């Protein structure tokens, strides 16, 4: 029987999942970094947006 | 700064709310019918439009796109206006969006009942409707972005990011998965075949769950929970992480629907890894939602809408815990194709989407009609009966899933299958299916009580159609907070937000799919796998039309329990001419990948006419009309030509002789049947279906004999 799974024979395909993981990890680290650095006043303002129906816009 | 006076458009919100309720009732009732059909096959009514294979797609499409779809629009049209401090961009676009969507739903239901389907789950609609959906979706996006651009609040609240990501991603998913070549006005063939078609379909299918049932509802969660609890979201920082990590990860996870199939291993592993990682942002979101209520649990006791919202978020947490578990290969080996998956999706659909919608409606109606809810008591009743309904639904389905899976896999001491007759594993489930239907009845009863309560509220109230509001316009020059934060920059600029969301989801989609596509030209097909004959092709289209894939898989996994039962496991090369693929996702009936040659033609004839004659106690619907209905052979040349366009190697000019070829094969089959004492016209549809069934999986048997 010669039914090997031909799709698996792409050269170097194992690298794909690794690249994906790396891309996500970098993305995630950058994300955490910036979120921690976020300005407190800004965060407070954002949280209040649903509640300031008629309030003045700064 | 001068305040401007403007009006929120509540009318459009109301219309969408009505549609949500109306389609919810229909979609769930149809679901109940499907559930009951598995207990009482007589409820298929011996009529094509009411057989399970057609009812099930109507149910799934109705609850996803009609009930939840309108639920999304209700919530978005209400919250977007408030979060932007602006009326919707254009009343006309709102109206086109609303009526366009409802019209699509009506045509969707009609065409699905009539058997026009692509057979790609949750994307069954045929090409004219696909185009209509694209247009109306653009109208929705246009209206949304118009509103955002006219906003009086500089920053985009997290809910809006979820709406934007939903908009872009659904557009991409819908277009990529719907690429098909029309054969006629209501028939088309998928551009992709076999493994590729499966990969695209489940990239879509998984992300339809992600970006239609989840991200927009998370947006609603981030708006309505704080509103109902009257306190801001627990951690806005967490919501930023939740958003980006979720949309980044979700898009990769599709292959977990195809574990142990003929999909290449690396793609399966990719799907598993990203599915497991998804747990983190999902739970981050759930915790964020629940902790918003910290210190306000007394309120939850009093407010029925909060009760619904809390259970919704809890169900979200349960479903998103279970999802990654189900994508572990060893768990998946047990759960896939069984009712476990049905239980899983219903925890999500009934718990998360259903309860969030109910919570939102109970909160919204008093606002829209300027009076308190008609009856708190009835709403509480709804809450309890619906909760019990979910339990009665989910527990028997989990039970059924385990039971059946164990029975499929059990061997005797001598090494034979303990339950070689598949039907035994089905009849065993009947009481569980009955209990599940009872769960559905309870849930639906609660829904009806809600409708009454909401109608009463509306009748006794004064509709607030255009709600007055004040806000200052945005100034041109913007004074940043102390130091400008990168995220604030994106989020001040909605178009950038859209572009970034698009980039993030495309990375996943591209890495997942490009390799499989690049090698299309060098997939050496298995030499003995040949294109379908014209008659088989027609038979295949009948198989698609009747929705046989809703109960039958065509994908044998490489387990001993499956190869013993069904034969040689399925190979990627066997599906290269399958536009669309028919791997299926649920085995209510046995796998059919190698049904060819298992039984004589006469067996299939009798079985299709009335399954119980050949398999006493079968719950498969009867298809007697296939014997009376005449096959439309005139469509054959066009079908062959489209297949040729798609790269199926029929010889040039074959379309011209296809009908002759078809008739010859049909004559042979009907003569064979005659020998067995069955008189049937050779142009009847059942002949084509039998030809197709007898072909399934036989190509590689031919290869084996050739080699021996």
């Amino acid at each position: 029987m010669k039914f090997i799974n031909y799709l698996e024979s792409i050269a170097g395909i194992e690298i794909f999942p690794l690249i994906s993981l790396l891309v996500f990890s970098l993305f995630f680290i950058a994300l955490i970094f910036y979120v921690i650095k976020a300005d407190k006043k800004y965060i407070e303002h954002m949280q209040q947006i649903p509640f300031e129906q008629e309030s003045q816009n700064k | 700064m001068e305040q401007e006076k403007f009006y929120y458009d509540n009318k459009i919100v109301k219309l969408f709310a009505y549609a949500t309720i109306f389609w919810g009732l229909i979609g769930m009732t149809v679901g109940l019918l499907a559930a009951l059909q598995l207990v009482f096959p007589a409820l298929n009514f011996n009529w094509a439009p009411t057989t399970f294979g057609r009812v099930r797609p109507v149910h799934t499409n109705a609850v996803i796109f009609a009930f939840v779809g309108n639920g999304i629009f209700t919530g978005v049209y209400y919250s977007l206006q408030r979060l932007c401090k602006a009326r919707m961009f254009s009343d006309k676009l709102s109206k086109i969006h609303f009526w366009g969507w409802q019209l699509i739903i009506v045509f969707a239901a009609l065409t699905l009942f009539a058997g026009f389907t692509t057979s790609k789950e949750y994307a069954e609609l045929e090409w004219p409707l696909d185009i209509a959906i694209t247009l109306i979706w653009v109208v929705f996006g246009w209206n949304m972005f118009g509103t955002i651009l006219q906003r009086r609040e500089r920053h985009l609240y997290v809910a809006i990011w979820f709406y934007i990501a939903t908009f872009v991603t659904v557009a991409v998913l819908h277009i990529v998965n719907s690429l098909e070549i029309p054969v006629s006005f209501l028939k088309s063939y998928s551009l992709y075949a076999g493994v590729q078609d499966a990969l695209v379909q489940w990239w879509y299918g998984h992300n339809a769950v992600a970006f239609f049932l989840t991200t927009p509802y998370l947006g609603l969660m981030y708006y309505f929970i704080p509103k109902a609890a009257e306190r801001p979201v627990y951690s806005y920082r967490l919501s930023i992480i939740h958003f980006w990590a979720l949309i980044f990860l979700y898009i990769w996870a599709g292959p977990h629907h195809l574990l142990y199939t003929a999909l290449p291993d690396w793609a399966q592993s990719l799907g598993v890894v990203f599915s497991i990682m998804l747990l983190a942002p999902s739970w981050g979101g759930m915790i964020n939602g629940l902790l918003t209520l910290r210190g306000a649990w007394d309120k939850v006791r009093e407010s029925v809408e909060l009760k619904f919202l809390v259970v919704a978020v809890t169900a979200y947490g349960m479903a998103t815990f279970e999802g990654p578990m189900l994508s572990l290969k060893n768990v998946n080996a047990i759960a896939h194709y069984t009712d476990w998956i049905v239980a899983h999706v219903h925890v999500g659909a009934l718990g998360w989407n259903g309860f969030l919608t109910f919570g939102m409606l109970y909160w919204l109606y008093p606002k829209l009609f300027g009076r308190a809810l008609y009856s708190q008591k009835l709403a509480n009743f709804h809450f309890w009966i619906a909760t019990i309904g979910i339990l009665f639904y989910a527990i028997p389905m989990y039970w059924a899933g385990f039971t059946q899976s164990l029975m499929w896999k059990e061997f005797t001491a001598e090494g034979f299958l303990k339950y070689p007759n598949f039907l035994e594993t089905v009849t065993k489930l009947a009481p569980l299916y009955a209990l599940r239907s009872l769960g559905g009845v309870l849930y639906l009863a609660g829904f009806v009580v809600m409708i009454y309560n909401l109608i009463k509220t509306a009748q006794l109230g004064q509709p607030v159609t255009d709600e007055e509001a004040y806000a200052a316009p945005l100034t041109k020059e913007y004074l940043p907070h102390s130091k400008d934060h990168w995220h604030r920059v994106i989020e001040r600029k909605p178009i950038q937000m859209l572009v970034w969301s698009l980039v993030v989801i495309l990375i996943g989609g591209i890495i997942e799919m490009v390799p499989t596509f690049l090698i299309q030209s060098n997939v050496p097909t298995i030499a003995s796998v040949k294109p379908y004959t014209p008659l088989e092709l027609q038979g295949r289209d009948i198989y698609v039309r009747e929705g046989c894939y809703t109960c039958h898989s065509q994908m044998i996994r490489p387990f001993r329990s499956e190869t013993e039962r069904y034969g040689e496991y399925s190979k990627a090369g066997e599906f290269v001419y399958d536009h669309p693929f028919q791997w299926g996702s649920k085995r209510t009936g046995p796998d059919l990948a190698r049904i060819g040659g298992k039984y004589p033609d006469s067996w299939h004839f009798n079985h299709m006419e009335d399954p119980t004659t050949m398999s006493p106690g079968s719950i498969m619907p009867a298809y007697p009309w296939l014997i009376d209905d005449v096959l439309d052979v005139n469509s054959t040349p066009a079908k062959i030509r489209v297949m040729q366009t798609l790269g199926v190697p029929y010889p040039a000019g074959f379309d011209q002789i296809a009908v002759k070829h078809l008739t010859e094969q049909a004559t042979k089959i009907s003569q064979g049947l005659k020998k067995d004492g069955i008189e049937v016209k050779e142009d009847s549809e059942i002949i084509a279906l039998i030809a197709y069934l007898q072909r399934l999986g036989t190509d590689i048997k031919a290869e084996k004999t050739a080699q021996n």
Side-chain angles (χ1 to χ4, degrees):
Chain A
M1 284 260 309
K2 46 172 196 204
F3 300 126
I4 47 162
N5 208 336
Y6 298 96
L7 290 171
E8 257 153 45
S9 53
I10 319 175
I13 192 66
E14 317 75 45
I15 198 80
F16 263 78
L18 287 178
I19 294 179
S20 322
L21 257 173
L22 194 72
V23 169
F24 177 72
S25 309
L26 291 177
F27 174 82
F28 194 71
I29 292 167
L31 184 62
I32 298 275
F33 181 71
Y34 280 116
V35 164
I36 290 173
K37 270 187 56 181
D39 175 18
K40 202 162 177 182
K41 273 219 300 287
Y42 153 75
I43 292 283
E44 268 158 25
H45 170 68
M46 292 303 286
Q47 283 187 326
Q48 289 302 329
I49 290 181
F51 301 100
E52 33 182 80
Q53 218 80 147
E54 268 95 78
S55 83
Q56 187 103 15
N57 207 291
K58 24 109 266 250
Chain B
M1 178 59 70
E2 187 114 349
Q3 295 270 334
E4 281 179 344
K5 179 167 158 183
F6 60 97
Y7 296 92
Y8 292 129
D9 182 0
N10 278 355
K11 190 161 163 233
I12 188 70
V13 180
K14 245 183 321 187
L15 285 177
F16 275 118
Y18 295 157
T20 308
I21 295 167
F22 177 73
W23 292 120
L25 183 66
I26 305 241
M28 291 177 203
T29 309
V30 173
L32 183 60
L33 173 64
L36 287 168
Q37 286 175 335
L38 296 184
V39 194
F40 309 107
L43 292 176
N44 287 287
F45 301 116
N46 268 337
W47 188 46
T50 47
T51 48
F52 182 87
R54 298 203 189 170
V55 166
R56 193 260 186 182
V58 172
H59 163 61
T60 51
N61 280 281
V63 291
I64 299 174
F65 300 108
F67 171 59
V68 175
N70 279 304
I72 294 170
F73 302 137
T74 308
V76 169
Y77 275 83
Y78 184 86
S79 61
L80 184 69
Q81 298 187 70
R82 270 100 189 144
L83 291 170
C84 288
K85 301 197 181 92
R87 189 184 175 87
M88 285 310 293
F89 171 64
S90 152
D91 284 8
K92 193 170 266 154
L93 286 181
S94 303
K95 228 180 238 157
I96 296 176
H97 175 200
F98 176 78
W99 288 109
W101 195 256
Q102 312 315 319
L103 217 61
I104 289 172
I105 295 170
V106 170
F107 280 105
L110 290 176
T111 53
L112 290 177
F113 274 130
F116 299 104
T117 168
T118 65
S119 80
K120 294 179 99 174
E121 287 181 62
Y122 328 124
E124 282 97 343
L125 301 179
E126 267 299 351
W127 65 273
L129 284 169
D130 284 341
I131 294 174
I133 292 170
T134 313
L135 295 177
I136 294 299
W137 195 253
V138 169
V139 168
F140 165 52
W142 180 5
N143 207 6
M144 176 162 80
F145 274 93
T147 313
I148 293 174
L149 293 175
Q150 291 186 348
R151 69 197 187 280
R152 296 185 180 81
E153 159 59 53
R154 177 118 23 211
H155 296 290
L156 298 180
Y157 182 65
V158 59
I160 301 179
W161 317 346
F162 277 104
Y163 303 158
I164 293 177
T166 301
F167 170 72
V168 235
T169 315
V170 169
V172 173
L173 293 167
H174 172 68
I175 291 170
V176 173
N177 191 43
S178 300
L179 293 178
E180 55 217 355
I181 301 195
V183 176
S184 60
F185 178 54
L186 282 174
K187 173 77 193 165
S188 65
Y189 289 131
S190 172
L191 196 60
Y192 322 101
V195 176
Q196 285 166 1
D197 199 34
L199 186 62
V200 173
Q201 158 59 27
W202 286 111
W203 167 77
Y204 165 89
H206 176 73
N207 289 301
V209 174
F211 287 88
F212 207 88
L213 299 176
T214 309
T215 54
Y217 266 53
L218 286 171
L220 301 185
M221 173 186 97
Y222 276 119
Y223 182 79
F224 286 102
I225 290 197
K227 288 300 274 187
E230 295 171 314
R231 49 182 54 225
V233 58
Y234 168 65
S235 162
Y236 197 79
R237 285 189 167 88
L238 185 54
S239 73
I240 299 180
I241 298 178
H242 179 202
F243 174 77
W244 287 106
L246 194 82
I247 69 164
F248 194 110
L249 290 175
Y250 242 127
I251 207 84
W252 306 74
H256 69 207
H257 292 255
L258 299 169
L259 299 179
Y260 290 113
T261 66
L263 188 74
D265 249 0
W266 66 268
Q268 296 188 24
S269 313
L270 192 74
V272 173
V273 171
F274 277 82
S275 306
I276 306 292
M277 295 201 298
L278 253 181
L279 184 59
S282 302
W283 273 49
M286 172 192 69
I287 289 170
N288 212 359
L290 290 180
L291 285 188
T292 299
L293 299 164
R294 76 201 178 289
W297 288 100
D298 49 317
K299 256 197 196 135
V300 176
R301 221 168 301 131
E302 254 124 63
S303 137
V304 72
E305 58 262 23
L306 274 178
K307 271 186 220 161
F308 273 112
L309 294 174
V310 166
V311 173
V313 175
T314 311
Y316 172 64
M318 282 171 15
T320 55
F321 175 76
E322 194 184 15
M325 294 307 115
L326 283 169
S327 67
L328 293 172
K329 279 188 119 178
N330 48 355
V331 181
N332 191 275
I334 302 169
H336 194 50
Y337 294 133
T338 74
D339 288 307
W340 186 344
I341 306 302
V342 182
H344 170 63
V345 298
H346 281 86
V347 170
L350 302 173
W352 162 241
N353 294 113
F355 272 36
L356 204 120
T357 309
F358 304 151
M360 176 176 86
L361 290 173
Y362 281 125
W363 185 83
L364 215 48
Y365 258 66
K367 301 275 180 300
L368 296 177
F369 292 96
R371 86 171 293 263
L373 193 64
Y374 169 68
S375 163
Q376 285 287 328
K377 223 188 212 140
L378 286 180
N380 271 306
F381 173 75
H382 176 199
F383 174 78
W384 286 111
I385 196 168
T387 306
I388 296 169
I390 294 179
L391 295 177
F392 266 92
Y393 191 105
I395 295 169
M397 282 292 97
Y398 283 116
W399 198 290
F402 297 138
T403 309
Q404 196 176 28
S405 189
L406 293 177
M407 289 175 84
W408 287 347
K409 287 171 188 294
E410 192 166 344
F411 281 93
T412 61
E414 295 77 37
F416 296 110
L417 285 170
K418 174 121 184 253
Y419 304 97
N421 182 359
F422 187 92
L423 190 53
E424 268 186 276
T425 73
V426 178
T427 42
K428 181 98 179 186
L429 308 180
L432 297 168
Y433 284 165
L435 275 178
R436 175 267 291 268
S437 307
L438 175 66
V441 170
L442 295 175
Y443 193 87
L444 193 59
F447 194 84
V448 172
V449 170
M450 176 187 80
I451 297 179
Y452 173 75
N453 203 352
L454 294 182
I455 290 179
K456 275 290 189 205
T457 309
Q459 276 174 349
L460 298 172
Q462 278 295 328
V464 189
T465 307
D466 293 290
E467 189 180 328
E468 205 173 286
Y470 299 89
L474 288 186
T475 46
K476 279 276 177 302
E477 70 282 10
Y478 169 67
L479 296 176
H481 293 264
S482 48
K483 49 188 179 338
D484 221 6
H485 181 251
W486 71 283
H487 201 266
R488 247 165 31 211
V489 179
I490 309 186
E491 150 198 300
R492 278 205 314 269
K493 305 209 167 97
I495 301 298
Q496 280 194 18
M497 188 86 190
L498 179 141
V499 172
W500 282 110
S501 312
L502 186 66
V503 168
V504 162
I505 62 134
L506 284 185
I507 294 176
I510 289 170
I511 297 193
E512 193 182 300
M513 288 209 264
V514 165
T516 321
F517 279 83
L518 279 184
I519 80 158
Q520 177 173 34
S521 48
N522 44 359
V523 178
T525 49
I526 300 173
S528 58
V529 174
K530 296 277 184 304
Y532 296 104
T533 67
L535 187 64
E536 289 158 7
L537 190 63
Q538 291 286 9
R540 189 169 205 272
D541 286 340
I542 295 170
Y543 187 94
V544 166
R545 184 188 75 196
E546 300 304 341
C548 310
Y549 68 90
T550 57
C551 284
H552 291 287
S553 60
Q554 288 188 19
M555 170 50 62
I556 303 165
R557 296 176 295 176
F559 305 141
R560 188 161 82 96
S561 58
E562 300 214 350
T563 52
E564 281 291 305
R565 189 182 294 278
Y566 303 119
E568 184 69 30
Y569 68 88
S570 301
K571 317 291 187 304
E574 290 184 80
F575 304 101
V576 287
Y577 306 127
D578 283 14
H579 298 267
F581 79 117
Q582 290 293 307
W583 293 2
S585 60
K586 172 73 175 51
R587 282 184 188 151
T588 301
D591 189 277
L592 297 180
R594 304 227 181 277
I595 189 73
K598 181 176 172 187
Y599 302 112
D601 291 353
S602 56
W603 189 94
H604 286 297
F605 183 93
N606 292 325
H607 184 251
M608 294 308 295
E609 187 178 27
D610 178 4
T612 53
T613 54
M614 307 316 281
S615 309
S618 176
I619 58 169
M620 176 165 146
Y623 293 88
W625 59 89
L626 294 180
I627 298 168
D628 302 326
D629 290 358
V630 173
L631 183 69
D632 170 26
V633 289
N634 296 330
S635 58
T636 318
K639 286 181 174 176
I640 296 287
R641 282 193 296 272
V642 171
M643 284 295 177
Q644 284 172 323
T645 316
L646 291 169
V648 178
Y650 291 111
F654 189 68
D655 58 320
Q656 296 308 319
I657 53 167
V659 173
K660 187 166 150 276
H661 195 293
L662 181 151
T663 318
E664 283 167 12
Q665 194 184 359
T667 309
K668 235 194 254 151
I669 294 175
S670 79
Q671 280 169 353
L673 285 171
K674 201 180 247 165
K675 283 203 199 92
D676 288 328
I678 295 169
E679 285 288 347
V680 57
K681 293 190 304 284
E682 62 184 50
D683 59 355
S684 96
E685 287 192 329
I686 193 148
I687 302 284
L689 184 64
I690 291 176
Y692 172 63
L693 291 173
Q694 295 293 28
R695 170 69 183 275
L696 278 175
T698 53
D699 283 1
I700 77 161
K701 287 183 197 163
E703 169 117 335
K704 264 189 189 162
T705 14
Q707 274 180 355
N708 289 344

